[in-house]
Amino acid sequence: MPDTTPELRSGQRHDISHEVLGVVFQVRDGALQVLLWRRAQAPEAGCWSLPVGPVGVAESLEAAVSRHLATKVDVRDLAHLEQLGTWSEVHRVPSRRLVATAYLGLVPTTSDPDTPRDTDWHLADSLPATAFDHGAVVTHALARLRAKLSYTNIGFALAPEEFTMAALNRLYCAALGRPVSVTNLQRVLLRRGVLEATGRLAAPGTAGGRPAARYRFRHHELEVTDAFPVLRPRRTSSRGAEDPPGAESVD
Amino acid sequence: MPDTTPELRSGQRHDISHEVLGVVFQVRDGALQVLLWRRAQAPEAGCWSLPVGPVGVAESLEAAVSRHLATKVDVRDLAHLEQLGTWSEVHRVPSRRLVATAYLGLVPTTSDPDTPRDTDWHLADSLPATAFDHGAVVTHALARLRAKLSYTNIGFALAPEEFTMAALNRLYCAALGRPVSVTNLQRVLLRRGVLEATGRLAAPGTAGGRPAARYRFRHHELEVTDAFPVLRPRRTSSRGAEDPPGAESVD
DNA sequence: CGAGTTATTGTCTCACCATCGAAAACCTCC
DNA sequence: GGAGGTTTTCGATGGTGAGACAATAACTCG
């Protein structure tokens, strides 16, 4: 694999730098949005890029991305953070050899972190011109989020502490980018034990109508719903009590 | 957040090195096995480690892991290679700051790559003492492989070009580490269009019995079966012909 | 109290998968 | 050549979970 770029031919030992990217999603104004930063300097000045930063010698990648995002979004607002993947194409950024590990971060609708100048939220489904390979990274993050909404309880990281079914339905519609049946959403998430009723009721709306019950996510750590049923021995009836033993994440 | 700032000034600028790990699985002797290398030098001399190597300045991580595995397993034998994740704990290896990106590689049963001295296959379900965090990496790889066997066509990378249902069943049992019903395996994989009959028959065994039909995987690139059915609008009947449009991987 | 509005629950149906058993296709041995 | 054994394949049956839709519950307002 010959490479002719002069910058890459230098004979030093440590020529590869490592950076972290944060793909932070939040449902805002009824749509899924992602936090982007307007690049001031070249290269790709004027384009939008993901929050990015170097990795310190004495910190893990998780620590690095948390640290950098703290300057963009209050870390306490990050309800979920998981590794997405590592991008390493040789020319993914010009004139430097830079490997990037991307993380997916989720912020619940309740928090409205004040973002510094030059950062802003953008619709995840129609991105502006993005720098480098950040568009592909966002696409990847979007696909993973949407997949996990179907077979995990990851919604807890986007939703408020307590909510009505109608509100949760709007949240899922926004995050998935397509309509979702309230009826089925409720029954599926309740049967799986992802949601539980709090017993409290929402204040009835001004237009009248039955007051909605309030629900919450039962757990606030990622849990994977019983994996794809194919070729698995049938679950042995008793569906109560104990958590499934092999419920670890598969990314 | 200028991405050229040396954040931690503990001395030199480029203190973090990057390596790649290869988790290579193959079904051998009716069991899933992983290729390990016996460490000769300290640290952790005598322990078994994954195949590992540095990343060149002018190559991507994929290229690096392919290059290193070529010295352990013939690259042509690697039917599938995908990124698993990046491990970055500060003290994951002693006395150096080393970040590792792991890849999952699969070798079909038909090839028997000759491995150099000091490398050997080990049962994936009962590993020997492993060096560093390599045990956790193998566990991760194993979980991903087993999950993907259920909802993708990834079996193509473990199976021969052509095989009988009984043989494929033995393969799946070995890879999953639990019994699988032949009947269901056949029908599920055929209905999904993952397998197709070749029309040829296997030579009948010495004990007699109906000769088995031979099948093959229809495609040899990773394809994800229609994702978790939950909260999706019902598929509109016609299940023939065209591939599902949104069948991209989710890792 | 009835009309209007919203939330929740019941029921129907369909897709999918696991289990079982029968049939098909081959062998060997008598 | 037929009986019996072996292996593969196909069909029938039942259960489970989910989507669609209708019915019911609970409230406000006039």
Side-chain angles (χ1 to χ4, degrees):
Chain A
M1 183 166 311
D3 198 291
T4 53
T5 306
E7 290 83 358
L8 297 183
R9 253 198 314 222
S10 53
Q12 302 143 6
R13 258 188 74 205
H14 294 113
D15 274 332
I16 305 181
S17 303
H18 205 139
E19 65 178 0
V20 286
L21 304 175
V23 188
V24 179
F25 285 124
Q26 186 185 25
V27 174
R28 303 173 66 88
D29 308 324
L32 189 67
Q33 310 213 20
V34 60
L35 192 65
L36 296 181
W37 175 58
R38 184 169 210 108
R39 289 183 62 84
Q41 314 115 321
E44 314 234 10
C47 278
W48 294 87
S49 80
L50 291 167
V52 64
V55 180
V57 181
E59 65 182 352
S60 67
L61 295 178
E62 287 78 8
V65 73
S66 292
R67 178 169 61 86
H68 291 302
L69 287 181
T71 69
K72 302 259 187 299
V73 184
D74 193 334
V75 199
R76 290 166 302 182
D77 295 338
L78 266 186
H80 179 71
L81 187 67
E82 72 176 46
Q83 194 185 102
L84 204 57
T86 300
W87 274 256
S88 67
E89 284 305 308
V90 177
H91 295 294
R92 55 175 295 274
V93 304
S95 58
R96 297 179 60 198
R97 182 70 169 98
L98 197 49
V99 170
T101 297
Y103 281 78
L104 167 66
L106 299 178
V107 176
T109 54
T110 31
S111 66
D112 185 17
D114 39 33
T115 52
R117 247 178 331 119
D118 287 332
T119 71
D120 213 346
W121 298 93
H122 291 81
L123 293 179
D125 279 309
S126 63
L127 291 179
T130 50
F132 315 125
D133 50 5
H134 293 193
V137 174
V138 173
T139 302
H140 224 78
L142 194 55
R144 174 166 311 180
L145 170 64
R146 288 182 170 163
K148 284 203 167 180
L149 278 172
S150 291
Y151 66 92
T152 73
N153 64 343
I154 203 172
F156 78 84
L158 292 173
E161 182 63 31
E162 219 176 292
F163 44 82
T164 68
M165 271 300 159
L168 188 68
N169 185 54
R170 285 191 294 274
L171 187 82
Y172 268 72
C173 291
L176 291 171
R178 56 176 178 79
V180 172
S181 150
V182 197
T183 303
N184 294 326
L185 183 71
Q186 173 171 27
R187 255 220 314 263
V188 167
L189 295 186
L190 281 177
R191 164 155 40 170
R192 289 187 184 166
V194 171
L195 298 183
E196 63 184 2
T198 64
R200 284 181 287 276
L201 294 181
T206 62
R210 174 175 175 172
R214 293 167 71 81
Y215 298 85
R216 74 162 80 93
F217 279 88
R218 187 195 280 271
H219 299 115
H220 278 208
E221 284 87 41
L222 190 65
E223 288 178 342
V224 178
T225 300
D226 217 0
F228 222 66
V230 179
L231 304 181
R232 286 213 152 42
R234 171 149 311 197
R235 301 180 262 316
T236 54
S237 68
S238 81
R239 247 210 171 274
E242 87 288 357
D243 293 32
E248 70 265 12
S249 166
V250 185
D251 288 11
Chain B
M1 193 182 307
D3 44 12
T4 53
T5 302
E7 198 67 32
L8 301 186
R9 65 200 68 210
S10 68
Q12 307 108 323
R13 256 189 76 201
H14 292 116
D15 275 332
I16 306 181
S17 303
H18 205 138
E19 64 178 0
V20 286
L21 304 175
V23 188
V24 178
F25 285 125
Q26 186 185 25
V27 174
R28 301 172 68 86
D29 306 325
L32 190 67
Q33 310 213 20
V34 60
L35 193 65
L36 296 181
W37 175 58
R38 182 168 211 108
R39 288 183 62 82
Q41 315 111 325
E44 314 232 10
C47 278
W48 293 88
S49 80
L50 292 168
V52 64
V55 180
V57 181
E59 65 181 353
S60 67
L61 295 178
E62 287 79 7
V65 73
S66 291
R67 180 169 59 86
H68 291 303
L69 287 181
T71 70
K72 304 258 188 298
V73 183
D74 192 336
V75 201
R76 290 166 302 181
D77 294 340
L78 267 184
H80 180 70
L81 186 68
E82 71 175 48
Q83 194 185 103
L84 205 57
T86 301
W87 274 257
S88 67
E89 284 306 308
V90 176
H91 295 297
R92 56 175 293 275
V93 303
S95 60
R96 296 178 61 194
R97 182 71 170 96
L98 197 49
V99 170
T101 297
Y103 281 78
L104 167 66
L106 300 179
V107 176
T109 54
T110 31
S111 66
D112 185 17
D114 40 32
T115 52
R117 250 181 327 119
D118 288 333
T119 70
D120 213 345
W121 297 94
H122 291 81
L123 292 178
D125 278 309
S126 63
L127 292 178
T130 50
F132 316 127
D133 50 5
H134 293 193
V137 175
V138 173
T139 302
H140 224 77
L142 194 54
R144 174 166 310 180
L145 170 63
R146 289 184 168 162
K148 284 202 167 182
L149 278 172
S150 291
Y151 66 92
T152 72
N153 65 343
I154 204 172
F156 76 85
L158 291 173
E161 182 61 33
E162 217 176 293
F163 43 82
T164 68
M165 270 301 160
L168 188 69
N169 185 55
R170 285 191 294 274
L171 188 82
Y172 269 71
C173 289
L176 291 170
R178 59 175 177 77
V180 171
S181 149
V182 196
T183 304
N184 294 327
L185 183 70
Q186 174 170 26
R187 253 224 313 272
V188 167
L189 295 186
L190 281 177
R191 166 161 35 176
R192 289 185 183 165
V194 171
L195 297 183
E196 63 183 3
T198 64
R200 282 182 288 276
L201 294 182
T206 64
R210 175 173 176 173
R214 294 166 71 80
Y215 298 84
R216 73 164 77 97
F217 278 88
R218 188 198 278 272
H219 299 114
H220 279 207
E221 284 86 42
L222 190 66
E223 287 179 342
V224 178
T225 300
D226 219 0
F228 221 67
V230 178
L231 304 180
R232 288 211 151 45
R234 174 154 309 198
R235 300 182 262 317
T236 53
S237 70
S238 82
R239 245 208 173 273
E242 88 287 357
D243 293 31
E248 72 265 12
S249 165
V250 184
D251 289 13

